[in-house]
Amino acid sequence: MKRWMTLTLSLLTLLALTACGGARGGKTEPKDVDLTEVYASMEAACDWWTDGYMEDLSEEMLDLYYPGLSELEPKQLIARTPMMSAAVSEVVLIECRSGEDADKAQEILQGRIDYQVGDDTNPGGAWYPESIEQWEKTTVQRQGNYLALLAVADTQGQLEDIFNQAVA
């Protein structure tokens, strides 16, 4: 009986150690993701984004829409929106250098959503009920130091899935 107990405990210990073998010292290496490729995948999923529809935000527009974001000096930053559109279309993909910067970036991105939606005392920056409704559906996606604000009409969930699968 003692032999069977010893053998069973040995096997359980071996299984437990095997399950932990994927990470060194309990830590995994951070994933290195090219956000340009992630954006290209998103663009391919949005067949309504014609060539040149989404443009990079200029420094002035970036500072206006997302005050403080460029000061974080992110590793990667893609911020695009059409210059003229009746539909909500805004994409920000960012990789921050630290968790602290990612926390700040998350606050800045959420601030953009809150501004567009408005509240009981301030009207939403999006103005129109349909636009405000879309901004209400917008969330900040975050995986470690990677963040995304994806304010897009009909493909919101699809683009969130592309981002989360790429950086997970």
Side-chain angles (χ1 to χ4, degrees):
M1 184 67 155
K2 287 181 183 179
R3 286 184 188 171
W4 285 107
M5 285 295 268
T6 303
L7 180 61
T8 303
L9 287 173
S10 297
L11 286 173
L12 288 173
T13 303
L14 181 63
L15 286 173
L17 291 174
T18 304
C20 297
R24 285 191 187 141
K27 295 183 180 179
T28 58
E29 293 294 319
K31 192 167 186 177
D32 190 23
V33 177
D34 183 353
L35 293 180
T36 304
E37 291 178 11
V38 175
Y39 181 81
S41 297
M42 292 176 176
E43 199 170 50
C46 294
D47 55 358
W48 51 270
W49 285 359
T50 58
D51 189 34
Y53 175 71
M54 297 288 277
E55 297 183 24
D56 289 323
L57 286 175
S58 66
E59 285 184 44
E60 296 83 23
M61 294 300 288
L62 184 67
D63 290 338
L64 179 65
Y65 287 3
Y66 302 95
L69 194 62
S70 59
E71 294 169 13
L72 298 176
E73 299 180 7
K75 286 184 178 180
Q76 299 180 75
L77 174 63
I78 295 173
R80 294 192 177 161
T81 189
M83 291 300 112
M84 297 277 299
S85 177
V88 174
S89 302
E90 200 163 302
V91 173
V92 176
L93 305 175
I94 185 170
E95 178 187 9
C96 295
R97 296 186 183 278
S98 68
E100 183 179 309
D101 283 354
D103 291 341
K104 290 176 187 173
Q106 188 169 2
E107 288 177 24
I108 292 168
L109 296 178
Q110 186 60 51
R112 173 71 173 158
I113 295 168
D114 295 343
Y115 169 76
Q116 291 294 87
V117 171
D119 58 28
D120 293 335
T121 58
N122 298 310
W127 294 348
Y128 301 109
E130 295 85 8
S131 298
I132 292 172
E133 184 178 313
Q134 180 56 48
W135 278 101
E136 288 175 334
K137 295 176 186 175
T138 301
T139 60
V140 177
Q141 302 293 306
R142 180 174 177 183
Q143 299 279 343
N145 291 342
Y146 292 96
L147 295 100
L149 178 142
L150 303 164
V152 287
D154 298 327
T155 55
Q156 181 82 31
Q158 185 180 5
L159 298 189
E160 288 173 357
D161 288 346
I162 290 170
F163 173 78
N164 287 316
Q165 288 173 9
V167 299

